Amino acid sequence: MKVNKDGNGYTFAFSIILVIVVGVILSSLSIGLDPLKKANVAVKKKMNILSALGVESTRQDGSDKYDEFIKDSYVISHNGVLQEDLPEEKKAFNLDVQKQFRDKTIEVSDRLYPIFEAEKDGATIFVLPVVGKGLWGPIWGFVALADDYETIVGTSFDHKGETPGLGAEIAQDFFENRYNGEKIADNGQFTPIKVVQNGTGSEEQKVDGITGGTITSKGVEKMVNKTMRVYYKYFSKNK
Amino acid sequence: MESTLDIFVKAIFTENMIFAYFLGMCSYLAVSKTVKTGVGLGLAVVFVLGVTVPMNYLLENYVLKEGALSWLNEDYGVNGSNTIDLSFLSFIMFIAVVASIVQLVEMLVEKFAPALYGALGIFLPLIAVNCSILGGALFMQDRQYSTILDATSFALGSGVGWFIAIVSLAAIREKIRYSNVPPALRGLGITFIVTGLMGIAFMSFMGVEYGKKEEAKSNTESGGAVETSQIINVKQVN
Amino acid sequence: MSTTEEKLKAPKEPLFSKKNKRLITDPLSDNNPITIQVLGICSALAITVQVEQAFWMSISVIFVMVFGNLIVSLLRNLIPSRVRIIVQLVIVASLVIIVNESLQAFVPDVSEKLSVFVGLIITNCIIMGRFEAFAMSNKPFPSILDAVGNAIGYAWILVLVALVREVLGSGKIWGANIFGNNLPGEESGLYALGYVNNNLMILPPMALIVVGVIIWVQRSMNKELVEEN
């Protein structure tokens, strides 16, 4: 029997079979790989937190080390007030600060700020997430603060799509280390840290930016200062 | 954050589809021989982007995204007991929307505006596989615009940027015919290089800072000093 | 069924006959998809800043193309001609989703780097072009060869452009320094002598100019390819 391939019936039947086959293959693949993907995202976040602490980790041992170093985590509001009884998806680790930053329907004053409390070499260190925007898209990272509540002891930054070799260098160790030792406060007053392009980064409250990555560097400056201001409100109250 | 107008202007100049992301290069190079055809294809791209991106935005936010089906049943939402995440299907859905819209537009144009079809007809099928259309949808998803208005203004901005790019390249190619280009570079080679040079010219828009006013306002609101940085910084392009 | 007939016929032709070999070698130079046919540059140029990205992009494209061409070729007598383009798009899109999901699950670092550009493989004109021009009218085996040839022809240009840009732009190959250390204050190697990376190479437009130069070189060597203006 010769089937009329240009007939409507054949075309419909073919399309329906195709859609079912494709749908089944893709759904099972997606469901099968989903736990792996979710785990990857979570491990990456843990690795970033650890990196700000100055702890090297790999995708394999990221989770274990996270449990080893991070002792506690909690969430504060934009005014620096500790938040309690939050639903599961707003707990410190699950809170998506990037989404919160991008979503215009959330007022700035309604944003939540997680704090990860870590213990390293006997000292308490606070790891604080920061988000902002670079030249091409979002940039984010973590800043580690010593227990004097003002000295930065480590940072780790990451980005979505900054220019490789220029803005993208913010994710490199050499840039991240430039923040070490800077203070976000002086005599109980918040003080911003400037990212400069003229090579005077060794001065106090100044960090050298990335040559050719001016806008991304400025983005980092804005991101760190804006978020640290909020956290300092909390720390200065709870010293 | 960025205002709707910022997104529009940014999509035309700073994040120009052609010069910053090379999207839609195939048809861009193939159809830019004369200004007339360039204008035709450019308009078609503006139109198709303007229609498909908002449609894909609705699809993304009410069907595909994690928990997007919460309007059907609370259980399917992000906080529900049975969260549904269909985002793995987004490629196939986006391209299906693009392909069917293009087909539909082609049929409508053929029926109601035969003259326009004569001019645009051959370009429309090309558009289905034009990267800038699917690229527009994927960037929309990636950047998670918070309102459909923002997504539409991004789409129209990208379209206009693409239009400007193809028309100006076509104009340059019309003139280049009278120049003495080295034989091996004629045609395609010189077109690539001209596009590259145009891209460098477009990069000077990159230093423009958007949303300065609003940013300053929100900074003072949170009780801080406004950071003084140059409004325009074209000296060091990122 | 015509497909089974062809399967029976196939062994008569040597596996790598002259004709089949040409299917692979032609797209590498004289009929290169990027420099001659001008297809598929859309998604390609943006990820040629580093060799690593270009490499993974190439692998993904080779995978999608080979399997896509194979599937289309197997189904060629079944696909209704009216919905041909959509069916082809669905096949590419499904393969790309498979690639994307696998990258996210197994090599998440690469997936982050390629971001939306994996999705853009769908509209890579080479793939649709080969489906339409070759796989729809040829047997599965030649279709695979054709796909391999074209995908590699695409890949080597991609990696070459990335190599030029990464070496000149950031002084690295696959992320490793080749000219010495260029961190401010602790320069070594060439940088200590005053060498500076050409940051212009990293900017997007330079990809076009590099491809332009490759075309120039290729056509100077093979005069037949020169276009009339």
Side-chain angles (χ1 to χ4, degrees), chain C residues 166-218:
Chain C
E166 194 175 357
V167 168
L168 296 181
S170 24
K172 292 174 182 172
I173 292 181
W174 202 285
N177 284 327
I178 49 165
F179 296 145
N181 192 346
N182 70 335
L183 296 182
E186 39 187 296
E187 286 95 343
S188 66
L190 270 183
Y191 296 103
L193 303 172
Y195 175 81
V196 180
N197 284 331
N198 184 357
N199 283 342
L200 193 64
M201 285 315 262
I202 292 172
L203 302 178
M206 286 313 287
L208 287 164
I209 295 182
V210 172
V211 175
V213 171
I214 292 176
I215 293 176
W216 190 1
V217 171
Q218 196 183 22

Side-chain angles (χ1 to χ4, degrees), chain A residues 150 152 182-194 205 224-225 228-229 232:
Chain A
E150 51 182 48
I152 295 180
E182 298 291 333
K183 287 183 188 302
I184 61 161
D186 186 33
N187 281 330
Q189 283 298 308
F190 176 81
T191 49
I193 299 165
K194 279 213 164 331
Q205 303 302 131
V224 171
N225 288 337
M228 285 306 124
R229 194 187 300 278
Y232 194 69

Side-chain angles (χ1 to χ4, degrees), chain B residues 19 22-23 25-26 29 88 91-92 95 99 129 131 134-135 138-139 142 183-188 192 195-196 199-200 203, chain C residues 35 38 40-42 45-46 89 93-94 97 100-101 119-120 122-123 125 203-205 208 211 215-216 219-220 226-227:
Chain B
F19 298 127
F22 309 107
L23 297 183
M25 288 299 284
C26 309
L29 293 174
F88 66 96
F91 291 164
I92 216 166
I95 195 73
V129 286
C131 323
L134 184 66
L138 292 177
F139 277 122
D142 199 48
L185 209 50
R186 267 178 209 158
L188 196 59
F192 267 101
T195 314
I200 294 178
M203 299 213 75
Chain C
T35 60
V38 216
I41 17 195
C42 326
L45 295 183
L89 279 174
S94 321
I97 292 176
N100 191 36
E101 296 275 312
L120 290 174
I122 298 174
T123 47
C125 330
L203 302 178
L208 287 164
V211 175
I215 293 176
W216 190 1
R219 294 188 182 184
S220 307
V226 173
E227 281 174 63

